[in-house]
Short mmCIF file of all heavy atoms in Angstrom, two decimals:
data_model
loop_
_atom_site.label_atom_id
_atom_site.label_comp_id
_atom_site.label_asym_id
_atom_site.label_seq_id
_atom_site.Cartn_x
_atom_site.Cartn_y
_atom_site.Cartn_z
N ILE A 1 23.64 -123.41 -136.01
CA ILE A 1 22.26 -123.23 -136.44
C ILE A 1 21.37 -124.05 -135.52
O ILE A 1 21.57 -125.27 -135.37
CB ILE A 1 22.07 -123.67 -137.91
CG1 ILE A 1 22.92 -122.81 -138.85
CG2 ILE A 1 20.59 -123.59 -138.30
CD1 ILE A 1 22.82 -123.20 -140.30
N VAL A 2 20.44 -123.40 -134.89
CA VAL A 2 19.55 -124.05 -133.93
C VAL A 2 18.13 -124.06 -134.48
O VAL A 2 17.60 -123.01 -134.87
CB VAL A 2 19.57 -123.33 -132.57
CG1 VAL A 2 18.60 -123.98 -131.59
CG2 VAL A 2 20.99 -123.34 -131.99
N ALA A 3 17.54 -125.24 -134.54
CA ALA A 3 16.15 -125.38 -134.96
C ALA A 3 15.24 -125.36 -133.75
O ALA A 3 15.50 -126.04 -132.75
CB ALA A 3 15.96 -126.67 -135.75
N THR A 4 14.18 -124.56 -133.81
CA THR A 4 13.16 -124.54 -132.78
C THR A 4 11.81 -124.77 -133.44
O THR A 4 11.71 -124.79 -134.67
CB THR A 4 13.14 -123.19 -132.03
OG1 THR A 4 12.61 -122.19 -132.90
CG2 THR A 4 14.55 -122.79 -131.60
N ASP A 5 10.77 -124.91 -132.65
CA ASP A 5 9.44 -125.14 -133.22
C ASP A 5 8.88 -123.89 -133.89
O ASP A 5 7.89 -123.98 -134.63
CB ASP A 5 8.48 -125.62 -132.13
CG ASP A 5 8.85 -126.99 -131.60
OD1 ASP A 5 9.62 -127.70 -132.28
OD2 ASP A 5 8.40 -127.35 -130.49
N SER A 6 9.51 -122.75 -133.68
CA SER A 6 9.04 -121.52 -134.31
C SER A 6 9.97 -121.02 -135.41
O SER A 6 9.71 -119.97 -136.01
CB SER A 6 8.86 -120.42 -133.26
OG SER A 6 10.07 -120.17 -132.58
N GLY A 7 11.03 -121.75 -135.69
CA GLY A 7 11.94 -121.34 -136.75
C GLY A 7 13.39 -121.61 -136.38
O GLY A 7 13.68 -122.44 -135.52
N TYR A 8 14.30 -120.88 -137.05
CA TYR A 8 15.73 -121.11 -136.86
C TYR A 8 16.40 -119.93 -136.16
O TYR A 8 16.03 -118.78 -136.36
CB TYR A 8 16.44 -121.29 -138.21
CG TYR A 8 15.99 -122.49 -139.00
CD1 TYR A 8 15.13 -122.35 -140.08
CD2 TYR A 8 16.44 -123.78 -138.69
CE1 TYR A 8 14.71 -123.44 -140.82
CE2 TYR A 8 16.03 -124.88 -139.42
CZ TYR A 8 15.17 -124.70 -140.48
OH TYR A 8 14.76 -125.79 -141.21
N VAL A 9 17.39 -120.26 -135.35
CA VAL A 9 18.31 -119.26 -134.84
C VAL A 9 19.61 -119.46 -135.62
O VAL A 9 20.26 -120.52 -135.52
CB VAL A 9 18.57 -119.43 -133.33
CG1 VAL A 9 19.58 -118.40 -132.84
CG2 VAL A 9 17.26 -119.33 -132.55
N ALA A 10 19.97 -118.49 -136.44
CA ALA A 10 21.10 -118.64 -137.34
C ALA A 10 21.70 -117.27 -137.65
O ALA A 10 21.02 -116.25 -137.51
CB ALA A 10 20.66 -119.31 -138.64
N PRO A 11 22.95 -117.23 -138.09
CA PRO A 11 23.55 -115.95 -138.47
C PRO A 11 22.91 -115.41 -139.74
O PRO A 11 22.28 -116.16 -140.50
CB PRO A 11 25.02 -116.30 -138.70
CG PRO A 11 25.02 -117.75 -139.04
CD PRO A 11 23.90 -118.35 -138.24
N ASP A 12 23.06 -114.11 -139.98
CA ASP A 12 22.49 -113.51 -141.18
C ASP A 12 23.33 -113.78 -142.42
O ASP A 12 22.82 -113.74 -143.54
CB ASP A 12 22.36 -111.99 -140.99
CG ASP A 12 21.34 -111.62 -139.91
OD1 ASP A 12 20.34 -112.35 -139.79
OD2 ASP A 12 21.56 -110.63 -139.21
N THR A 13 24.63 -114.04 -142.22
CA THR A 13 25.52 -114.25 -143.36
C THR A 13 26.41 -115.46 -143.12
O THR A 13 26.74 -115.80 -141.98
CB THR A 13 26.41 -113.03 -143.62
OG1 THR A 13 27.23 -112.79 -142.47
CG2 THR A 13 25.57 -111.80 -143.92
N LEU A 14 26.81 -116.09 -144.21
CA LEU A 14 27.80 -117.16 -144.23
C LEU A 14 28.80 -116.83 -145.34
O LEU A 14 28.52 -116.01 -146.20
CB LEU A 14 27.14 -118.52 -144.49
CG LEU A 14 26.15 -119.03 -143.44
CD1 LEU A 14 25.46 -120.29 -143.93
CD2 LEU A 14 26.85 -119.29 -142.12
N HIS A 15 29.94 -117.51 -145.33
CA HIS A 15 30.94 -117.22 -146.37
C HIS A 15 30.82 -118.23 -147.52
O HIS A 15 30.26 -119.32 -147.37
CB HIS A 15 32.35 -117.24 -145.78
CG HIS A 15 32.78 -118.59 -145.27
ND1 HIS A 15 32.87 -118.89 -143.93
CD2 HIS A 15 33.15 -119.72 -145.91
CE1 HIS A 15 33.27 -120.13 -143.77
NE2 HIS A 15 33.45 -120.67 -144.96
N GLU A 16 31.36 -117.84 -148.66
CA GLU A 16 31.39 -118.74 -149.81
C GLU A 16 32.36 -119.89 -149.55
O GLU A 16 33.29 -119.78 -148.76
CB GLU A 16 31.83 -117.98 -151.06
CG GLU A 16 30.86 -116.91 -151.51
CD GLU A 16 31.39 -116.16 -152.72
OE1 GLU A 16 31.66 -116.81 -153.75
OE2 GLU A 16 31.55 -114.92 -152.63
N GLY A 17 32.12 -121.00 -150.25
CA GLY A 17 32.99 -122.16 -150.10
C GLY A 17 32.47 -123.11 -149.04
O GLY A 17 31.28 -123.11 -148.69
N LEU A 18 33.37 -123.91 -148.51
CA LEU A 18 32.98 -124.91 -147.52
C LEU A 18 32.68 -124.24 -146.18
O LEU A 18 33.48 -123.46 -145.67
CB LEU A 18 34.11 -125.93 -147.36
CG LEU A 18 33.76 -127.25 -146.67
CD1 LEU A 18 32.73 -128.03 -147.49
CD2 LEU A 18 35.01 -128.09 -146.46
N ASN A 19 31.51 -124.54 -145.61
CA ASN A 19 31.10 -124.00 -144.31
C ASN A 19 31.01 -125.15 -143.30
O ASN A 19 30.45 -126.21 -143.60
CB ASN A 19 29.74 -123.31 -144.42
CG ASN A 19 29.83 -121.90 -144.95
OD1 ASN A 19 29.85 -120.94 -144.21
ND2 ASN A 19 29.90 -121.77 -146.28
N HIS A 20 31.55 -124.90 -142.12
CA HIS A 20 31.48 -125.86 -141.02
C HIS A 20 30.30 -125.49 -140.14
O HIS A 20 30.30 -124.44 -139.50
CB HIS A 20 32.79 -125.82 -140.24
CG HIS A 20 32.83 -126.74 -139.05
ND1 HIS A 20 33.81 -126.66 -138.09
CD2 HIS A 20 32.01 -127.76 -138.67
CE1 HIS A 20 33.60 -127.58 -137.16
NE2 HIS A 20 32.50 -128.26 -137.49
N LEU A 21 29.28 -126.33 -140.14
CA LEU A 21 28.05 -126.05 -139.41
C LEU A 21 27.91 -126.99 -138.20
O LEU A 21 28.30 -128.15 -138.26
CB LEU A 21 26.83 -126.25 -140.31
CG LEU A 21 26.84 -125.56 -141.68
CD1 LEU A 21 25.58 -125.94 -142.45
CD2 LEU A 21 26.94 -124.06 -141.52
N VAL A 22 27.33 -126.47 -137.15
CA VAL A 22 26.88 -127.28 -136.02
C VAL A 22 25.37 -127.11 -135.95
O VAL A 22 24.88 -126.00 -135.71
CB VAL A 22 27.54 -126.86 -134.69
CG1 VAL A 22 26.96 -127.69 -133.55
CG2 VAL A 22 29.05 -127.03 -134.76
N PHE A 23 24.64 -128.20 -136.19
CA PHE A 23 23.18 -128.14 -136.20
C PHE A 23 22.64 -128.78 -134.93
O PHE A 23 23.04 -129.89 -134.56
CB PHE A 23 22.63 -128.86 -137.43
CG PHE A 23 21.12 -128.83 -137.53
CD1 PHE A 23 20.46 -127.64 -137.79
CD2 PHE A 23 20.38 -129.99 -137.37
CE1 PHE A 23 19.07 -127.61 -137.89
CE2 PHE A 23 18.99 -129.97 -137.47
CZ PHE A 23 18.34 -128.77 -137.72
N GLU A 24 21.71 -128.08 -134.29
CA GLU A 24 21.12 -128.58 -133.05
C GLU A 24 19.61 -128.39 -133.09
O GLU A 24 19.12 -127.34 -133.48
CB GLU A 24 21.71 -127.84 -131.86
CG GLU A 24 21.22 -128.32 -130.51
CD GLU A 24 21.90 -127.62 -129.35
OE1 GLU A 24 22.79 -126.78 -129.60
OE2 GLU A 24 21.54 -127.91 -128.20
N ASN A 25 18.89 -129.42 -132.68
CA ASN A 25 17.43 -129.35 -132.62
C ASN A 25 17.01 -129.14 -131.17
O ASN A 25 17.11 -130.05 -130.34
CB ASN A 25 16.81 -130.63 -133.17
CG ASN A 25 15.28 -130.59 -133.17
OD1 ASN A 25 14.68 -129.60 -132.75
ND2 ASN A 25 14.67 -131.65 -133.63
N ARG A 26 16.50 -127.95 -130.86
CA ARG A 26 16.00 -127.65 -129.51
C ARG A 26 14.48 -127.58 -129.50
O ARG A 26 13.88 -127.07 -128.55
CB ARG A 26 16.59 -126.33 -129.02
CG ARG A 26 18.08 -126.36 -128.78
CD ARG A 26 18.59 -125.07 -128.20
NE ARG A 26 20.05 -125.01 -128.16
CZ ARG A 26 20.74 -123.92 -127.91
NH1 ARG A 26 20.12 -122.78 -127.64
NH2 ARG A 26 22.07 -123.94 -127.92
N GLY A 27 13.86 -128.09 -130.54
CA GLY A 27 12.40 -128.12 -130.59
C GLY A 27 11.85 -129.35 -129.89
O GLY A 27 12.57 -130.14 -129.29
N THR A 28 10.53 -129.51 -130.00
CA THR A 28 9.86 -130.65 -129.38
C THR A 28 9.52 -131.72 -130.40
O THR A 28 8.95 -132.76 -130.04
CB THR A 28 8.57 -130.20 -128.67
OG1 THR A 28 7.68 -129.62 -129.64
CG2 THR A 28 8.87 -129.18 -127.59
N THR A 29 9.86 -131.48 -131.65
CA THR A 29 9.59 -132.45 -132.71
C THR A 29 10.79 -132.50 -133.63
O THR A 29 11.79 -131.79 -133.45
CB THR A 29 8.32 -132.06 -133.48
OG1 THR A 29 8.00 -133.10 -134.42
CG2 THR A 29 8.51 -130.75 -134.24
N ILE A 30 10.74 -133.33 -134.64
CA ILE A 30 11.84 -133.51 -135.59
C ILE A 30 11.98 -132.26 -136.47
O ILE A 30 10.98 -131.66 -136.86
CB ILE A 30 11.57 -134.76 -136.46
CG1 ILE A 30 11.58 -136.01 -135.58
CG2 ILE A 30 12.59 -134.88 -137.59
CD1 ILE A 30 10.98 -137.23 -136.25
N HIS A 31 13.22 -131.89 -136.78
CA HIS A 31 13.49 -130.78 -137.68
C HIS A 31 14.67 -131.11 -138.59
O HIS A 31 15.47 -132.00 -138.30
CB HIS A 31 13.79 -129.49 -136.91
CG HIS A 31 12.62 -128.93 -136.17
ND1 HIS A 31 11.50 -128.45 -136.81
CD2 HIS A 31 12.39 -128.79 -134.83
CE1 HIS A 31 10.63 -128.02 -135.91
NE2 HIS A 31 11.14 -128.21 -134.70
N GLU A 32 14.77 -130.36 -139.69
CA GLU A 32 15.90 -130.43 -140.61
C GLU A 32 16.20 -129.01 -141.08
O GLU A 32 15.50 -128.06 -140.68
CB GLU A 32 15.58 -131.34 -141.81
CG GLU A 32 14.44 -130.83 -142.67
CD GLU A 32 14.07 -131.77 -143.80
OE1 GLU A 32 14.59 -132.91 -143.85
OE2 GLU A 32 13.24 -131.37 -144.65
N CYS A 33 17.22 -128.85 -141.93
CA CYS A 33 17.56 -127.49 -142.38
C CYS A 33 18.18 -127.54 -143.77
O CYS A 33 19.41 -127.64 -143.91
CB CYS A 33 18.52 -126.83 -141.39
SG CYS A 33 18.93 -125.12 -141.81
N MET A 34 17.33 -127.46 -144.79
CA MET A 34 17.82 -127.44 -146.16
C MET A 34 18.21 -126.02 -146.57
O MET A 34 17.50 -125.06 -146.26
CB MET A 34 16.76 -127.96 -147.12
CG MET A 34 17.16 -127.86 -148.59
SD MET A 34 15.90 -128.52 -149.69
CE MET A 34 16.21 -130.28 -149.47
N PHE A 35 19.33 -125.89 -147.26
CA PHE A 35 19.74 -124.63 -147.85
C PHE A 35 19.21 -124.57 -149.28
O PHE A 35 19.64 -125.35 -150.13
CB PHE A 35 21.27 -124.50 -147.85
CG PHE A 35 21.85 -124.17 -146.51
CD1 PHE A 35 22.07 -125.16 -145.57
CD2 PHE A 35 22.17 -122.86 -146.18
CE1 PHE A 35 22.60 -124.86 -144.32
CE2 PHE A 35 22.71 -122.55 -144.94
CZ PHE A 35 22.92 -123.55 -144.00
N VAL A 36 18.28 -123.66 -149.53
CA VAL A 36 17.70 -123.49 -150.87
C VAL A 36 18.17 -122.16 -151.43
O VAL A 36 17.83 -121.10 -150.89
CB VAL A 36 16.16 -123.53 -150.82
CG1 VAL A 36 15.59 -123.38 -152.24
CG2 VAL A 36 15.67 -124.83 -150.18
N ARG A 37 18.96 -122.19 -152.50
CA ARG A 37 19.43 -120.95 -153.12
C ARG A 37 18.35 -120.39 -154.04
O ARG A 37 17.93 -121.05 -154.99
CB ARG A 37 20.73 -121.18 -153.90
CG ARG A 37 21.41 -119.88 -154.33
CD ARG A 37 22.82 -120.09 -154.80
NE ARG A 37 22.89 -120.70 -156.11
CZ ARG A 37 23.43 -121.90 -156.37
NH1 ARG A 37 23.94 -122.62 -155.38
NH2 ARG A 37 23.48 -122.38 -157.59
N LEU A 38 17.90 -119.18 -153.72
CA LEU A 38 16.81 -118.57 -154.47
C LEU A 38 17.36 -117.89 -155.72
O LEU A 38 18.39 -117.22 -155.66
CB LEU A 38 16.08 -117.56 -153.60
CG LEU A 38 15.45 -118.09 -152.30
CD1 LEU A 38 14.86 -116.95 -151.50
CD2 LEU A 38 14.39 -119.15 -152.59
N PRO A 39 16.68 -118.02 -156.85
CA PRO A 39 17.14 -117.32 -158.06
C PRO A 39 16.89 -115.82 -157.94
O PRO A 39 16.07 -115.38 -157.13
CB PRO A 39 16.29 -117.95 -159.17
CG PRO A 39 15.03 -118.37 -158.47
CD PRO A 39 15.46 -118.81 -157.10
N ASP A 40 17.59 -115.05 -158.76
CA ASP A 40 17.39 -113.60 -158.76
C ASP A 40 15.92 -113.30 -159.04
O ASP A 40 15.31 -113.86 -159.96
CB ASP A 40 18.25 -112.95 -159.84
CG ASP A 40 19.74 -113.01 -159.50
OD1 ASP A 40 20.05 -113.23 -158.33
OD2 ASP A 40 20.56 -112.86 -160.43
N GLY A 41 15.35 -112.43 -158.23
CA GLY A 41 13.97 -112.03 -158.43
C GLY A 41 12.96 -112.86 -157.67
O GLY A 41 11.77 -112.50 -157.63
N MET A 42 13.39 -113.97 -157.05
CA MET A 42 12.45 -114.80 -156.26
C MET A 42 12.65 -114.50 -154.78
O MET A 42 13.74 -114.66 -154.24
CB MET A 42 12.65 -116.29 -156.52
CG MET A 42 11.71 -117.17 -155.66
SD MET A 42 11.97 -118.96 -155.87
CE MET A 42 11.17 -119.24 -157.45
N SER A 43 11.58 -114.09 -154.13
CA SER A 43 11.61 -113.87 -152.69
C SER A 43 11.30 -115.16 -151.96
O SER A 43 10.82 -116.14 -152.55
CB SER A 43 10.59 -112.80 -152.30
OG SER A 43 9.27 -113.27 -152.55
N ALA A 44 11.57 -115.15 -150.67
CA ALA A 44 11.21 -116.30 -149.86
C ALA A 44 9.71 -116.55 -149.90
O ALA A 44 9.24 -117.68 -149.98
CB ALA A 44 11.68 -116.10 -148.42
N ARG A 45 8.93 -115.47 -149.91
CA ARG A 45 7.47 -115.59 -149.96
C ARG A 45 7.02 -116.23 -151.27
O ARG A 45 6.11 -117.06 -151.28
CB ARG A 45 6.85 -114.21 -149.81
CG ARG A 45 5.33 -114.17 -149.74
CD ARG A 45 4.80 -114.85 -148.48
NE ARG A 45 4.38 -116.22 -148.72
CZ ARG A 45 4.10 -117.08 -147.77
NH1 ARG A 45 4.21 -116.71 -146.50
NH2 ARG A 45 3.72 -118.31 -148.04
N ALA A 46 7.67 -115.86 -152.39
CA ALA A 46 7.30 -116.43 -153.68
C ALA A 46 7.62 -117.93 -153.71
O ALA A 46 6.85 -118.72 -154.29
CB ALA A 46 8.04 -115.71 -154.80
N TYR A 47 8.73 -118.30 -153.11
CA TYR A 47 9.08 -119.73 -153.03
C TYR A 47 8.02 -120.49 -152.24
O TYR A 47 7.55 -121.55 -152.66
CB TYR A 47 10.45 -119.89 -152.38
CG TYR A 47 10.92 -121.33 -152.26
CD1 TYR A 47 11.68 -121.92 -153.25
CD2 TYR A 47 10.61 -122.08 -151.12
CE1 TYR A 47 12.10 -123.24 -153.13
CE2 TYR A 47 11.04 -123.39 -150.99
CZ TYR A 47 11.79 -123.97 -152.00
OH TYR A 47 12.21 -125.27 -151.87
N LEU A 48 7.63 -119.94 -151.09
CA LEU A 48 6.64 -120.60 -150.25
C LEU A 48 5.28 -120.66 -150.95
O LEU A 48 4.55 -121.65 -150.81
CB LEU A 48 6.51 -119.87 -148.92
CG LEU A 48 7.79 -119.87 -148.05
CD1 LEU A 48 7.56 -119.07 -146.78
CD2 LEU A 48 8.22 -121.28 -147.72
#
């Protein structure tokens, strides 16, 4: 998973259970990457 100043470069799917991630920041400022599980019926736009 690569963080940039315009968003993330990441796969569309991951598997259930333990995931081995490599996180890299290629932006010009600090970044992080929280995984937020959305409830049924909530879109990303509604969360934002």
Side-chain angles (χ1 to χ4, degrees):
I1 298 178
V2 177
T4 71
D5 294 342
S6 58
Y8 297 103
V9 178
D12 294 325
T13 61
L14 297 173
H15 65 253
E16 295 177 58
L18 196 64
N19 279 263
H20 178 193
L21 310 177
V22 176
F23 180 68
E24 183 176 358
N25 182 0
R26 294 184 189 168
T28 61
T29 186
I30 296 165
H31 292 295
E32 63 184 7
C33 183
M34 175 179 283
F35 284 82
V36 181
R37 191 166 74 243
L38 301 175
D40 291 342
M42 178 183 283
S43 66
R45 185 65 263 169
Y47 180 92
L48 297 178

